[in-house]
Amino acid sequence: TGKHLFKINGSEKARIESDGDTFINGGVNHTTTAGNTNLQVLTTNGQGANLGGSIGLGGVYHATNQITFAEIHGKKENGTTANLSGYMAFVTRSATDNAQERMRLYSSGNLLVGKTALDNSTVGIRMNSTGDASFVANGNRALVLNRKTSDGDIALFLKDGTTVGSIGTAATDIYIGTTDTGIRFNDAV
């Protein structure tokens, strides 16, 4: 009552429940601490690492030819039976290449941008849920910090919530130090 079923050769492929929840390739309404999911896209190709549902977003790129411009994937992190760990991946396409993964968020809360390896040597950005980060570049600067409008600290260093040092700017000079000790690099020499 009050639901729409979509079947192919007698097998259910999609369902819209009376409350608006939509299921593709089966599924049930899973209530989580984060809330309900109203749309589920599930695969039926078994369980294993890097398998799961995805949504492709695209349109016309030439005349009447269509293509996927971006994708969102929800995939299993491992091949371990009954292990629910999954990641979310974001895929985009440039003007001349195939679709590539650009960002991944793991179940641990770790975030990768421009890479898929949780290391400090592959080009890209890794931000851990523990608060540390890694910025790796090849033949280019790995970090740019830009303070606009006024002089002062550009980077502040703290230990247990107490400031222990900073790097900043005063006019055209750069300084490194604490509130009572520091080095100032003056370009007027």
Side-chain angles (χ1 to χ4, degrees):
T1 66
K3 73 171 103 173
H4 295 282
L5 297 175
F6 300 88
K7 295 183 177 184
I8 297 176
N9 295 328
S11 176
E12 181 182 323
K13 298 299 178 188
R15 178 174 76 243
I16 301 174
E17 295 286 349
S18 60
D19 61 3
D21 288 352
T22 304
F23 304 94
I24 299 172
N25 279 334
V28 294
N29 189 358
H30 293 287
T31 301
T32 65
T33 56
N36 291 326
T37 57
N38 297 106
L39 172 66
Q40 292 184 10
V41 180
L42 306 170
T43 59
T44 57
N45 56 355
Q47 74 101 48
N50 300 313
L51 298 176
S54 63
I55 299 172
L57 307 166
V60 176
Y61 72 96
H62 177 71
T64 59
N65 298 325
Q66 295 178 318
I67 198 164
T68 300
F69 299 126
E71 303 165 3
I72 302 171
H73 296 261
K75 295 187 176 183
K76 190 165 173 26
E77 287 183 2
N78 56 64
T80 306
T81 300
N83 185 315
L84 304 178
S85 296
Y87 66 87
M88 178 178 276
F90 296 87
V91 174
T92 62
R93 180 186 304 274
S94 73
T96 58
D97 70 6
N98 292 324
Q100 292 184 9
E101 183 175 317
R102 309 295 183 184
M103 186 168 67
R104 181 181 291 197
L105 178 62
Y106 282 96
S107 62
S108 62
N110 294 342
L111 176 68
L112 302 179
V113 178
K115 63 192 282 178
T116 57
L118 282 166
D119 62 20
N120 295 317
S121 57
T122 306
V123 172
I125 300 169
R126 175 190 49 78
M127 300 178 85
N128 289 344
S129 60
T130 55
D132 64 310
S134 169
F135 300 84
V136 180
N138 186 8
N140 198 2
R141 61 185 158 272
L143 182 65
V144 175
L145 303 173
N146 183 11
R147 180 183 175 119
K148 298 190 65 135
T149 310
S150 64
D151 290 337
D153 293 339
I154 293 175
L156 188 64
F157 302 93
L158 289 84
K159 166 72 169 87
D160 295 328
T162 301
T163 301
V164 295
S166 65
I167 299 174
T169 180
T172 60
D173 299 342
I174 187 171
Y175 61 81
I176 302 172
T178 64
T179 55
D180 59 358
T181 307
I183 301 171
R184 183 171 175 166
F185 300 92
N186 187 306
D187 61 355
V189 180

